[in-house]
């Protein structure tokens, strides 16, 4: 949940939103289009924004907020052992890009205020976290 967020690549802003959700997206080996559909359903309907009484009761769709999707394969890292992450849980790059692109297409069709980062790019992500409120949301 952010008051604003943006992604820059090579000094150029490629995606930016005001109030809404900054979503760092990791694609794992067993993820499918159905996983992406379920994740999008949850993202658009997840009630994390306050209503008039201050209770988390409104979704990004309810408030007309932005949705900034940023590919972030490192979230799929296995950090259980050693001093270096293993990326074996992550999908291969081609599958990761295919599913991220699918998520972006379906999100853009369902929620007009959707912005993105660029898969595989060296991105600088900045945000003003609201609260701060941060959740780890899985498609399951």
């Amino acid at each position: 949940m952010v008051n604003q967020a943006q992604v820059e690549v090579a000094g150029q802003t490629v995606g930016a939103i005001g109030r809404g959700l900054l979503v760092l997206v990791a694609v794992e080996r067993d993820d499918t289009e159905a996983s992406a559909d379920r994740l999008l359903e949850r993202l658009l309907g997840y009630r994390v924004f306050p209503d008039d009484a201050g209770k988390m009761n409104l979704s990004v769709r309810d408030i007309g907020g932005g949705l900034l999707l940023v590919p972030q394969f490192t979230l799929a890292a296995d950090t259980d052992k050693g001093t270096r992450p293993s990326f074996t849980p992550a999908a291969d790059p081609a599958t990761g890009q295919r599913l991220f692109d699918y998520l972006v297409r379906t999100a853009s069709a369902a929620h007009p205020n959707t912005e993105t980062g660029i898969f595989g790019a060296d991105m600088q992500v900045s945000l003003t976290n609201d609260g701060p409120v941060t959740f780890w949301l899985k498609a399951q």
Side-chain angles (χ1 to χ4, degrees):
M1 196 165 104
V2 298
N3 287 325
Q4 68 80 32
Q6 72 177 27
V7 178
E8 291 184 5
V9 174
Q12 299 292 326
T13 300
V14 297
I17 61 169
R19 187 171 185 224
L21 297 176
L22 167 62
V23 182
L24 303 176
V25 179
V27 179
E28 294 185 325
R29 287 177 176 216
D30 294 333
D31 289 342
T32 63
E33 285 84 356
S35 304
D37 290 340
R38 178 65 181 136
L39 178 61
L40 180 60
E41 176 186 324
R42 295 198 69 206
L43 287 170
L44 295 179
Y46 214 59
R47 299 181 305 158
V48 295
F49 294 92
D51 61 17
D52 291 338
K55 182 177 180 180
M56 285 184 171
N57 204 26
L58 300 174
S59 69
V60 70
R61 187 178 270 157
D62 294 332
I63 68 160
L67 183 65
L68 178 54
L69 302 172
V70 178
Q72 186 73 38
F73 90 96
T74 58
L75 288 174
D78 178 356
T79 59
D80 289 341
K81 296 185 268 184
T83 58
R84 184 170 167 225
S86 166
F87 296 105
T88 55
D92 64 84
T95 301
Q97 180 155 19
R98 180 178 58 78
L99 286 175
F100 180 75
D101 290 347
Y102 174 83
L103 178 63
V104 168
R105 280 193 312 276
T106 56
S108 296
H111 191 73
N113 193 3
T114 298
E115 298 277 327
T116 72
I118 298 175
F119 192 93
D122 181 10
M123 297 176 284
Q124 282 66 54
V125 180
S126 62
L127 70 137
T128 303
N129 201 348
D130 187 8
V133 175
T134 305
F135 296 97
W136 183 4
L137 188 63
K138 291 190 171 193
Q140 292 90 350

